[in-house]
């Protein structure tokens, strides 16, 4: 079962390159936009290899802007979603869902720490603007590869001043989570969006500092793993199937294309609905979700099919689905 949020017709009203690899799109639904809060996202219908699919994008800006504004990074090993989005031009028609917020800025803390990595800046950008408008105490740590690949870097520096710290990998910069969390008061809150390594470091640092789990909130974009994506084989003995998963394809998509039903919802490694049992694995499991615990990942008996994969070799799974 895929994301079933209703789609409505919309038009691309503006396209703008923010960096050589990140492009912003302004989208206007035929019936106008619906209210949204920082951390919200919309689903966009894309077409991949002739098949409709959906991708989720965090909303930038505010409802007062009168349109939905998103930013899309062109991924070098795109499964097709970012290529579809980068092919869109002003005036093109597409279909989008209403905004939904799975990463809300809860409020209630006496100070906030926002941490973004790469394109993870998109939901964090909206949070930073809201906190700045509310004159709330906060800092934003923004990790980027290079200064030329930092979408919104200049605009954020202008708006936030010394509340923004740009951490540039190319210049030897690395976010020190322990040092970042240390000045946060006990009831402070942290919001993190970035690649898997950044999330794992944040979770470990937060835990090591003895801070309450509910005050660290995070979101991932579910496409960054510990190993480069490569093709692998997935076997489903209960259904007598053996399916090849291409490097630019998720295991969930490959199973779906082969007619093997697996429940799913977020498709970003967060909800756990697509979790399958691992019966055997020849190769290394590359867990890319934030649903399973570190212990469960180490055991290697489960896998979130929407984002996680095998670094070469094969995996044998049980989906729990039984045909009638
Ligand atoms: S669909 Fe939500 S974790 Fe895979």
């Amino acid at each position: 079962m895929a994301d079933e949020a209703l789609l409505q017709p919309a038009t691309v009203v503006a396209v703008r390159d923010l960096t050589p690899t990140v492009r912003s799109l302004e989208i206007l639904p035929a019936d106008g936009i619906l209210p949204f809060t920082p951390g919200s996202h919309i689903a966009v219908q894309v077409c991949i290899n002739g098949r409709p699919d959906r991708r989720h994008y965090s909303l930038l800006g505010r409802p007062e802007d009168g349109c939905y504004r998103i930013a899309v990074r062109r991924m070098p090993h795109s499964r097709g979603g970012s290529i579809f989005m980068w092919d869109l031009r002003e005036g093109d028609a597409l279909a989008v869902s209403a905004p939904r917020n799975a990463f809300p800025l809860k409020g209630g803390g006496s100070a906030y720490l926002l941490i973004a990595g790469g394109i993870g800046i998109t939901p964090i950008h909206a949070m930073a603007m809201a906190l700045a408008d509310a004159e709330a105490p906060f800092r934003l740590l923004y990790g980027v590869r290079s200064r030329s690949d930092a979408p919104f870097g200049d605009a954020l520096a202008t708006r936030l001043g010394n509340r923004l710290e740009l951490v540039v990998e190319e210049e030897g910069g690395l976010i020190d989570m322990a040092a970042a969390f240390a000045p946060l008061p006990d009831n402070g809150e942290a919001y993190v969006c970035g690649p898997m390594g950044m999330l794992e470091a944040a979770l470990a640092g937060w835990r090591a500092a003895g801070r309450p789990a509910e005050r660290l909130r995070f979101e991932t974009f579910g496409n960054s793993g510990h190993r480069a994506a490569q093709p692998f084989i997935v076997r489903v003995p209960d259904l007598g199937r053996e399916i090849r998963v291409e490097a630019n394809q998720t295991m969930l998509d490959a199973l779906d294309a082969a007619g093997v039903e697996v429940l799913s919802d977020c498709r970003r490694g967060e909800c756990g609905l697509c979790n399958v049992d691992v019966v055997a694995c020849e190769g290394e499991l590359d867990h890319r979700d934030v649903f399973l615990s570190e212990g469960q990942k180490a055991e290697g008996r489960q896998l979130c099919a929407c984002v996680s994969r095998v670094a070469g070799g094969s995996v044998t799974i049980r989906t729990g689905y039984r045909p009638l």
Side-chain angles (χ1 to χ4, degrees):
M1 183 182 70
D3 171 6
E4 298 295 348
L6 282 178
L7 299 176
Q8 57 176 322
T11 305
V12 178
V13 293
V15 177
R16 192 160 61 93
D17 285 346
L18 302 175
T19 75
T21 60
V22 178
R23 177 171 284 181
S24 80
L25 297 154
E26 292 180 12
I27 298 166
L28 184 61
D31 293 334
I33 66 163
L34 292 169
F36 60 89
T37 49
S40 297
H41 67 269
I42 54 171
V44 178
Q45 186 170 57
V46 299
C47 182
I48 298 174
N49 299 326
R51 291 166 57 95
D53 206 337
R54 294 184 184 198
R55 292 292 181 267
H56 299 89
Y57 296 98
S58 296
L59 291 173
L60 297 154
R62 311 172 175 88
E64 301 87 275
D65 297 339
C67 64
Y68 297 142
R69 199 151 63 89
I70 62 173
V72 183
R73 181 182 291 283
R74 188 179 175 98
M75 306 302 288
H77 302 294
S78 169
R79 303 194 295 268
S82 76
I83 291 172
F84 176 91
M85 297 300 289
W86 267 62
D87 278 346
L88 290 170
R89 299 286 177 267
E90 283 180 24
D92 281 353
L94 75 170
V96 302
S97 73
R100 186 176 154 206
N101 200 340
F103 186 40
L105 183 59
K106 296 261 189 202
S110 61
Y112 300 85
L113 176 64
L114 308 178
I115 303 178
I119 196 64
I121 190 63
T122 52
I124 297 293
H125 176 280
M127 291 178 180
M129 293 299 120
L131 291 171
D133 288 350
E135 299 182 355
F138 77 98
R139 284 176 70 217
L140 166 53
L141 300 181
Y142 181 13
V144 295
R145 282 230 170 81
S146 67
R147 288 183 187 273
S148 63
D149 199 14
F152 314 110
D154 290 344
L156 284 167
T158 303
R159 178 75 175 94
L160 306 184
N162 61 11
R163 290 172 292 186
L164 170 70
E165 186 180 335
L166 200 61
V167 182
V168 185
E169 193 181 315
E170 211 175 65
E171 299 169 9
L174 183 69
I175 295 176
D176 178 339
M177 294 295 173
F181 295 147
L184 205 58
D186 286 349
N187 69 345
E189 296 182 354
Y191 293 78
V192 186
C193 185
M196 190 56 62
M198 172 180 277
L199 288 186
E200 288 175 347
L203 284 164
W206 194 258
R207 247 183 253 123
R211 290 180 177 270
E214 66 276 10
R215 291 192 181 276
L216 173 69
R217 302 193 177 95
F218 52 85
E219 187 172 65
T220 180
F221 28 87
N223 55 12
S224 59
H226 299 277
R227 303 284 301 269
Q230 39 186 306
F232 63 96
I233 300 294
V234 54
R235 297 192 181 90
V236 193
D238 291 349
L239 303 176
R241 302 298 306 271
E242 183 170 306
I243 299 150
R244 180 180 165 89
V245 183
E246 301 298 341
N248 63 351
Q249 188 180 33
T250 67
M251 189 167 124
L252 184 65
D253 285 343
L255 290 166
D256 184 48
V260 176
E261 189 158 345
V262 177
L263 293 175
S264 68
D265 182 20
C266 70
R267 292 182 168 240
R268 297 195 297 187
E270 292 170 6
C271 71
L273 206 56
C274 66
N275 198 27
V276 296
D277 291 336
V278 174
V279 178
C281 179
E282 288 168 18
E284 187 188 329
L285 292 178
D286 186 5
H287 291 283
R288 300 178 172 206
D289 64 282
V290 289
F291 174 76
L292 295 174
S293 69
E294 289 312 305
Q296 288 170 317
K297 288 176 184 175
E299 277 177 11
R301 292 195 196 144
Q302 301 172 68
L303 193 67
C304 286
C306 67
V307 289
S308 298
R309 29 193 327 117
V310 178
S314 66
V315 63
T316 303
I317 63 164
R318 204 175 287 127
T319 66
Y321 175 75
R322 299 280 177 279
L324 296 173

